[in-house]
């Protein structure tokens, strides 16, 4: 969750990190009418950031990142709303997708489309919305019809897609923009309904697991009543609450939702509503009537007012930060049509696993990264809580003694049936050890319990019995490691980590020890002399496997990150090569390249073995030098420059492996790293109002030799540079012998778009350079021929 500056509305006297689950249960939605004009009050109380937003929207360049940094996930004034939404949905400059439509209204359920759209427009008119009736109906029908045709899906009234238009139609958009906004919301934020029943039911199965993680009592109660989440949340998910909330509440909610750009945020919004409604449905005694309970839950969001939205979203963010995050990457393709789908069978397998899951599963990398020690010099750690797991190994004692994770607490799950009294004692000891580890601040201690078994479902049956026992006792924050101990060993081997650093036991092979030690010593180096340094170095290696596009935590990355990179699509690589061979390459000023010559600029697999000196460069060490007042500038001044083409938020990888918050400034012929400077906080511990940066020396785009990324970590981008002066004199024979003189590495969230844009600018920059060079050559040849013509000229005169 983004920090809020002094101009923001203070919604709570306590910091969100200080809240407990009991505090959250006390949160009540305001069903009074006192906050009807809450949005207008926000406008009056926050003029400063509104003015900044106005300037940004009126400027030459603005994108989602700039909007989010200004608005900080707050409600947007109505006059800016549609501009902000279009930027967050990335539809500002999108072309007319409906040009390919034949205008025929011939769906199998066309009559249902017409009926639903007509009722929708009539309801808006009855509410007092100013619309041209027939035009609005025609636009709604056209959008629904083209969407179904283009996606080759069947229209169903129960999907409630038209409820999205309930919020968009009052914005008075033209038909093209209306469709683009509808399509973007539908593909990014609405769970898909066009696949098998197991897939369409997957979001509601996940919601149940999230509820079980935070409130097992409420989850078990709904299970006992045979009430599934789909029975009362389907309309919330399919319309992003527009079907149940008042229009002003929906708009305020969408303001924050679209700024966050997190499709899974709806799960935590729903969780807040369920926790708040808990007392209404759990009354004790006999089980309530199912139909009545579903009705109460379905209408729960209707009591929200515009004044509640900020509190509502902050509480949802609280739950989001305290929920394992690895499921997001694994499940995106299963839930949303905008995600990349590898295969239908894989999606079905993921959905089936969710349906049969006993509790939330977390990935091995996330589990191991939670054990990384916090860096004392990282002041942001206190503001971005990291989940800590207390690992419980439930394998039989003999398997545990043969080998186990060094931070694992052993609990023999078979005792639950064989020796119940001993099991109770072991459970008491487990909780005592957990509390002791938390009090001591150990990296092995945390409020969240993660169980790990062998990885075999039959062998882990006892473990799941233990988990069921704890859930019945209303124990929160319970998860299981995906794949068990077997997957743990496989992962450590895949990332070439010394097993002896993590695994202890009698059966650890000495041969594996030696092999792992060689690999570890090669990448860790001198860090092996210090225990904490060892831990951090190992965790730096694993950071690349889990770091997500949001990269909310600031880990350190070591020299382990080598460019065994991901190969970009062959079409793009070949396209780049053909462009270069056609005269647009960064290579030779003299001579044309033949087709068999490797292009100077390429995006492909890097065959380097990691020993090249240039691969170790990163951002120069001088970037950490003391700063003077003249060395820094406000980030906004850079973004307002007339020569700016792009400015990508990123993290720069420094030579020592540390990450530094930065921005990659791209002009038509140069790229420049803008390192963020951390100024002192203001009084009261408030964050600074502005982002200050220090600009490093620029790199000429034409000097880029290669851009590469890791297959397992596509956000890590490496730029390799040659000497621009040397590259002017390249010939066909010397093209393949370009010397790489420097390299820079960045972790860029939207790496695909960034590299595509930079590649295009490199091509354009080189074309301009070649044109200037040709013009200079022509001028030189003309001037050299002038003395031969002078005698005849003077003679004739």
């Amino acid at each position: 969750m983004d920090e809020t500056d002094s101009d923001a509305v203070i919604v709570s006297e306590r910091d969100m990190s200080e809240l407990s689950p009991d505090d959250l249960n006390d949160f009540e939605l305001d069903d009074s009418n006192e906050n009807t004009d809450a949005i207008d009050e926000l406008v009056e109380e926050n003029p400063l950031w509104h003015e900044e937003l106005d300037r940004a929207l009126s400027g030459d360049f603005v994108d989602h990142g700039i909007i989010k940094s200004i608005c900080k996930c707050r409600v947007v004034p109505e006059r800016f709303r549609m501009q902000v939404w279009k930027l967050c949905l990335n539809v500002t400059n999108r072309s007319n997708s409906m040009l390919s439509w034949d205008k025929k209204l011939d769906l199998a359920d066309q009559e249902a489309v017409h009926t639903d759209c007509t009722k929708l427009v009539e309801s808006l008119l009855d509410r007092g919305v100013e619309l041209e009736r027939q035009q609005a109906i025609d636009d709604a029908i056209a959008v629904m019809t083209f969407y179904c045709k283009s996606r080759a899906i069947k229209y169903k009234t129960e999907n409630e897609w038209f409820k999205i238009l309930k919020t968009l139609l009052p914005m008075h958009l033209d038909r093209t923009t209306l469709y683009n906004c509808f399509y973007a919301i539908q593909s990014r934020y609405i769970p898909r309904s066009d696949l098998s029943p197991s897939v369409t039911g997957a979001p509601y199965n996940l919601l149940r697991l999230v509820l079980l993680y935070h409130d097992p009592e409420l989850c078990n109660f709904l299970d006992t009543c045979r009430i599934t989440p789909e029975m009362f949340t389907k309309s919330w998910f399919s319309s992003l609450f527009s079907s149940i909330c008042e229009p002003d509440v929906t708009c305020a909610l969408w303001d924050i939702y679209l700024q966050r750009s997190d499709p899974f945020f709806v799960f935590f919004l729903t969780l807040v509503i369920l926790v708040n409604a808990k007392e209404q449905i759990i009354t004790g005694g006999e089980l309530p009537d199912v139909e009545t309970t579903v009705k109460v839950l379905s209408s729960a969001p209707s009591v929200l007012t515009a004044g509640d939205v900020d509190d509502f979203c902050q509480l949802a963010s609280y739950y989001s930060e305290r929920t394992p995050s690895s499921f997001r990457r694994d499940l995106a393709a299963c839930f949303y049509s905008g995600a990349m789908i590898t295969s239908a069978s894989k999606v079905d397998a993921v959905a089936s696993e969710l349906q049969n899951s006993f509790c939330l599963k977390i990935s091995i990398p996330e589990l191991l990264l939670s054990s990384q020690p916090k860096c004392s010099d990282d002041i942001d750690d206190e503001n971005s809580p990291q989940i800590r797991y207390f690992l419980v190994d439930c394998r039989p004692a003999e398997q545990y003694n043969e080998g186990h994770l060094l931070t694992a607490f052993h609990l023999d799950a078979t005792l639950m049936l064989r020796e119940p009294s001993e099991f109770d004692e072991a459970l008491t000891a487990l909780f005592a050890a957990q509390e002791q580890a938390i009090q001591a601040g150990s990296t092995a201690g945390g409020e969240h319990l993660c169980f790990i078994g062998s990885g075999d479902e039959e062998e882990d049956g006892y473990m799941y019995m233990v988990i069921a026992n704890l859930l019945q006792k209303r124990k929160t924050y319970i998860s299981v490691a995906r794949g068990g101990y077997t997957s743990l060993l496989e992962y450590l081997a895949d990332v070439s980590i010394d097993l002896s650093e993590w695994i202890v036991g009698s059966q650890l092979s000495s041969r594996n020890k030696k092999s792992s030690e060689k690999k570890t010593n090669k990448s860790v180096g001198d860090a092996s002399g210090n225990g904490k340094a060892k831990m951090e170095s190992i965790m730096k290696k694993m950071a690349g496997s889990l770091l997500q596009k949001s990269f909310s935590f600031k880990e350190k990355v070591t020299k382990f990150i080598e460019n065994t990179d991901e190969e970009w699509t062959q079409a793009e690589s070949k396209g780049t090569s053909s462009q270069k061979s056609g005269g647009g390459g960064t290579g030779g000023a003299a001579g044309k390249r033949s087709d068999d010559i490797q292009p100077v600029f390429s995006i492909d697999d890097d065959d380097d073995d990691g020993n090249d000196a240039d691969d170790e460069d990163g951002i120069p060490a001088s970037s950490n030098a003391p700063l003077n007042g003249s060395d820094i500038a406000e980030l906004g001044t850079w973004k307002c420059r007339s020569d700016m083409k792009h400015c990508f938020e990123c993290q720069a990888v420094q030579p020592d492996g540390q990450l530094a918050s930065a921005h990659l400034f791209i002009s038509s012929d140069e790229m420049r790293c803008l390192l963020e400077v951390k100024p002192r906080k203001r009084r009261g511990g408030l964050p600074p109002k502005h982002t200050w940066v220090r600009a490093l020396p620029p790199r000429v785009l034409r000097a880029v030799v290669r851009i590469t990324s890791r297959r397992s970590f596509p956000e890590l981008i490496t730029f390799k540079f040659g000497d621009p002066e040397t590259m002017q004199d390249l010939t066909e024979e010397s093209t393949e012998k370009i010397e790489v003189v420097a390299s820079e590495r960045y972790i860029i969230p939207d790496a695909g778009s960034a590299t595509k844009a930079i590649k295009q600018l490199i091509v354009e920059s080189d074309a301009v350079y070649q044109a200037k060079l040709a013009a200079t050559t022509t001028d030189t040849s003309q001037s050299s021929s002038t003395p031969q013509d002078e005698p005849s000229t003077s003679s004739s005169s």
Side-chain angles (χ1 to χ4, degrees):
M1 180 174 60
D2 289 310
E3 296 183 3
T4 307
D5 61 22
S6 60
D7 301 323
V9 178
I10 306 300
V11 298
S12 175
E13 295 182 358
R14 289 181 296 173
D15 183 67
M16 292 300 298
S17 62
E18 298 176 358
L19 292 177
S20 66
D22 294 334
D23 296 324
L24 298 177
N25 292 335
D26 297 333
F27 171 71
E28 296 183 358
L29 300 178
D30 185 4
D31 57 356
S32 66
N33 295 323
E34 296 178 0
N35 295 321
T36 304
D37 300 325
I39 296 180
D40 294 334
E41 294 175 8
L42 289 175
V43 174
E44 296 175 1
E45 295 177 11
N46 297 275
L48 296 181
W49 72 270
H50 291 168
E51 293 177 3
E52 185 179 1
L53 177 60
D54 189 12
R55 289 194 299 271
L57 293 174
S58 303
D60 295 331
F61 177 81
V62 62
D63 60 10
H64 179 214
I66 295 175
I67 292 297
K68 188 175 181 180
S69 66
I70 296 174
C71 298
K72 299 185 184 300
C73 294
R74 293 174 289 195
V75 178
V76 176
E78 186 175 355
R79 64 183 184 275
F80 303 133
R81 176 162 288 141
M82 204 58 237
Q83 284 181 275
V84 170
W85 285 9
K86 288 194 289 185
L87 285 166
C88 291
L89 293 171
N90 194 26
V91 299
T92 303
N93 298 315
R94 186 162 297 179
S95 59
N96 186 359
S97 303
M98 302 183 72
L99 289 176
S100 60
W101 182 34
D102 57 8
K103 306 297 190 299
K104 293 181 180 180
L105 305 176
D106 53 0
L107 292 176
D109 296 293
Q110 192 66 54
E111 185 176 348
V113 174
H114 186 277
T115 301
D116 291 341
C117 292
T118 301
K119 289 181 179 179
L120 173 64
V121 174
E122 294 290 353
S123 67
L124 292 175
L125 293 173
D126 293 342
R127 207 179 69 205
V129 178
E130 295 182 4
L131 290 173
E132 203 287 307
R133 181 182 180 278
Q134 192 56 47
Q135 182 64 46
I137 293 175
D138 292 343
D139 287 345
I141 293 175
V143 168
M144 288 290 99
T145 303
F146 180 70
Y147 177 78
C148 291
K149 284 191 171 185
S150 62
R151 300 286 298 175
I153 53 180
K154 186 177 181 180
Y155 179 85
K156 296 180 181 179
T157 300
E158 57 267 26
N159 288 337
E160 296 188 335
W161 296 336
F162 59 91
K163 293 294 180 67
I164 298 294
L165 297 180
K166 178 183 177 182
T167 304
L168 295 178
L169 281 175
M171 300 295 179
H172 301 285
L173 305 173
D174 61 85
R175 183 175 295 183
T176 298
T177 305
L178 179 66
Y179 176 81
N180 287 339
C181 291
F182 172 84
Y183 181 85
I185 293 173
Q186 191 73 27
S187 61
R188 297 182 192 178
Y189 300 108
I190 308 300
R192 58 194 316 166
S193 58
D194 57 334
L195 296 179
S196 63
S198 64
V199 176
T200 56
Y204 310 103
N205 292 329
L206 175 62
L207 176 60
R208 178 190 171 277
L209 295 178
V210 172
L211 178 61
L212 184 65
Y213 192 81
H214 291 280
D215 197 331
E217 180 186 10
L218 177 56
C219 184
N220 291 334
F221 175 82
L222 294 177
D223 289 345
T224 303
C225 295
R226 297 184 181 278
I227 298 176
T228 64
E230 188 173 4
M231 296 169 66
F232 55 91
T233 62
K234 186 174 181 179
S235 63
W236 306 355
F237 280 56
S238 61
S239 66
L240 290 186
F241 295 98
S242 63
S243 63
I244 189 66
C245 293
E246 289 297 320
D248 60 335
V249 176
T250 302
C251 289
L253 192 58
W254 284 20
D255 285 345
I256 299 174
Y257 201 99
L258 298 182
Q259 288 177 56
R260 291 183 65 95
S261 191
D262 178 11
F264 289 95
F265 194 57
V266 67
F267 291 88
F268 303 104
L269 293 172
T270 301
L271 185 60
V272 173
I273 294 174
L274 293 180
V275 171
N276 186 66
K278 181 177 178 179
E279 294 183 359
Q280 293 180 262
I281 60 175
I282 300 182
T283 56
E286 297 181 357
L287 294 177
D289 178 67
V290 173
E291 185 177 350
T292 302
T293 303
V294 170
K295 186 176 181 180
V296 170
L297 290 173
S298 299
S299 60
S302 62
V303 301
L304 278 168
T305 66
D308 294 325
V309 170
D310 197 45
D311 284 5
F312 181 37
C313 291
Q314 288 200 43
L315 289 173
S317 180
Y318 172 91
Y319 281 114
S320 177
E321 291 170 352
R322 286 155 181 80
T323 304
S325 60
S326 51
F327 71 86
R328 297 171 187 255
R329 174 178 295 180
D330 299 334
L331 302 180
C334 183
F335 288 1
Y336 302 103
S337 59
M340 296 297 294
I341 304 176
T342 54
S343 66
S345 59
K346 183 176 180 180
V347 171
D348 287 335
V350 172
S352 178
E353 180 186 346
L354 263 181
Q355 186 175 7
N356 299 319
S357 292
F358 207 81
C359 60
L360 272 183
K361 293 184 177 181
I362 67 172
S363 66
I364 296 298
E366 182 176 10
L367 173 63
L368 296 178
L369 280 174
S370 71
S371 301
Q372 181 179 17
K374 289 186 177 181
C375 301
S376 59
D377 58 345
D378 196 342
I379 62 174
D380 289 333
D381 279 352
E382 59 188 37
N383 296 323
S384 28
Q386 178 182 346
I387 294 178
R388 296 286 183 183
Y389 297 100
F390 186 79
L391 184 63
V392 183
D393 194 326
C394 287
R395 293 175 300 147
E398 58 273 13
Q399 293 185 24
Y400 178 84
N401 292 331
E402 287 178 359
H404 62 271
L405 200 64
L406 59 87
T407 58
F409 180 96
H410 182 243
L411 178 66
D412 191 347
T414 60
L415 291 176
M416 186 174 177
L417 296 181
R418 293 190 293 105
E419 301 290 343
S421 58
E422 291 186 19
F423 174 76
D424 291 337
E425 293 177 1
L427 211 56
T428 301
L430 184 151
F431 293 128
Q434 180 188 22
E435 182 62 27
Q436 183 179 2
I438 294 174
Q439 294 297 330
S442 170
T443 57
E447 293 181 334
H448 300 250
L449 283 176
C450 180
F451 290 81
I452 185 170
S454 64
D456 183 273
E457 292 296 328
E458 293 184 3
E459 293 182 7
D460 294 339
Y462 288 103
M463 178 185 71
Y464 286 112
M465 291 177 62
V466 173
I467 294 175
N469 179 269
L470 294 177
L471 291 175
Q472 288 177 356
K473 295 178 180 178
R474 305 176 185 178
K475 180 65 178 176
T476 59
Y477 300 151
I478 291 181
S479 61
V480 63
R482 184 185 301 277
Y485 187 75
T486 302
S487 293
L488 172 64
L489 293 179
E490 291 175 354
Y491 177 78
L492 292 176
D494 288 344
V495 295
S496 302
I497 289 179
D498 182 3
L499 295 183
S500 64
E501 298 289 348
W502 283 98
I503 305 298
V504 293
S506 59
Q507 297 299 320
L508 187 61
S509 171
S510 59
R511 183 179 61 181
N512 290 339
K513 280 185 181 181
K514 294 179 180 179
S515 176
S516 298
E517 285 172 1
K518 289 180 180 180
K519 295 179 181 178
T520 304
N521 291 335
K522 182 179 179 180
S523 57
V524 175
D526 295 337
S528 60
N530 181 288
K532 182 177 179 180
K534 282 184 180 181
M535 175 77 75
E536 292 183 354
S537 298
I538 294 170
M539 297 313 301
K540 292 169 192 172
K541 293 182 180 182
M542 294 184 298
S545 301
L546 183 69
L547 191 61
Q548 300 184 13
K549 290 187 177 180
S550 59
F551 60 107
S552 57
F553 56 86
K554 296 185 177 179
E555 315 295 355
K556 294 182 178 181
V557 181
T558 60
K559 297 176 183 178
F560 169 84
I561 304 178
E562 301 297 345
N563 284 310
T564 54
D565 49 82
E566 179 175 6
E567 184 173 0
W568 298 71
T569 60
Q570 289 185 357
E572 182 174 359
S573 181
K574 292 179 179 178
T576 305
S577 300
S578 61
Q579 282 181 322
K580 303 303 174 187
S581 61
T586 58
K592 296 181 180 180
R593 296 196 187 115
S594 59
D595 293 338
D596 59 342
I597 297 297
Q598 181 182 358
V600 174
F601 171 75
S602 60
I603 300 179
D604 58 6
D605 271 346
D606 190 359
D607 299 326
D608 296 344
D609 58 6
N611 296 326
D612 293 342
D614 59 276
D615 278 345
E616 308 293 344
D617 287 350
I619 299 301
S622 60
S623 61
N624 293 324
L627 300 176
N628 298 318
S630 58
D631 293 331
I632 61 177
E634 206 273 316
L635 179 61
T637 61
W638 281 93
K639 292 186 175 181
C640 293
R641 287 179 47 159
S642 59
D643 62 340
M644 190 201 74
K645 296 295 185 180
H646 303 281
C647 191
F648 301 105
E649 184 178 359
C650 61
Q651 286 186 305
V653 183
Q654 302 190 64
D656 58 359
Q658 293 189 4
L659 300 183
S661 297
H663 300 263
L664 197 55
F665 179 88
I666 311 295
S667 66
S668 59
D669 57 354
E670 291 181 342
M671 60 182 289
R672 187 188 294 258
C673 178
L674 306 178
L675 288 178
E676 287 191 12
V677 179
K678 294 184 178 179
R680 294 180 179 177
K681 289 188 176 182
R682 294 179 291 162
R683 292 182 179 179
L686 294 173
K689 288 186 176 181
H690 303 288
T691 300
W692 298 89
V693 296
R694 180 191 182 191
L696 298 186
R699 299 283 191 184
V700 179
L701 287 179
R702 196 176 54 80
V704 174
V705 176
R706 180 172 293 182
I707 304 176
T708 57
S709 69
R710 284 176 54 87
R711 178 175 291 104
S712 60
F713 192 3
E715 291 82 17
L716 177 63
I717 304 299
T718 299
F719 296 90
K720 296 185 179 181
F721 302 91
D723 184 354
E725 300 299 328
T726 305
M727 293 172 66
Q728 292 181 8
D729 303 323
L730 289 179
T731 63
E732 294 183 4
E733 291 74 17
S734 61
T735 300
E736 298 179 349
K737 301 178 181 180
I738 300 174
E739 180 183 1
V740 175
V741 298
S743 65
E744 294 182 0
R745 297 183 182 183
Y746 301 94
I747 297 175
I748 307 176
D750 192 6
S753 300
T755 52
K756 182 178 180 180
I758 294 173
K759 181 187 73 171
Q760 182 62 32
L761 287 174
I762 291 174
V763 173
E764 295 175 359
S765 173
D766 189 71
V768 172
Y769 173 80
Q770 297 292 346
K772 289 183 178 179
L773 188 63
T776 303
T777 304
T778 303
D779 293 341
T780 303
S781 61
Q782 290 178 352
S783 62
S784 62
S785 62
T786 301
Q788 298 176 3
D789 297 335
E790 284 179 357
S792 60
T793 303
S794 61
S795 174
S796 61
S797 62

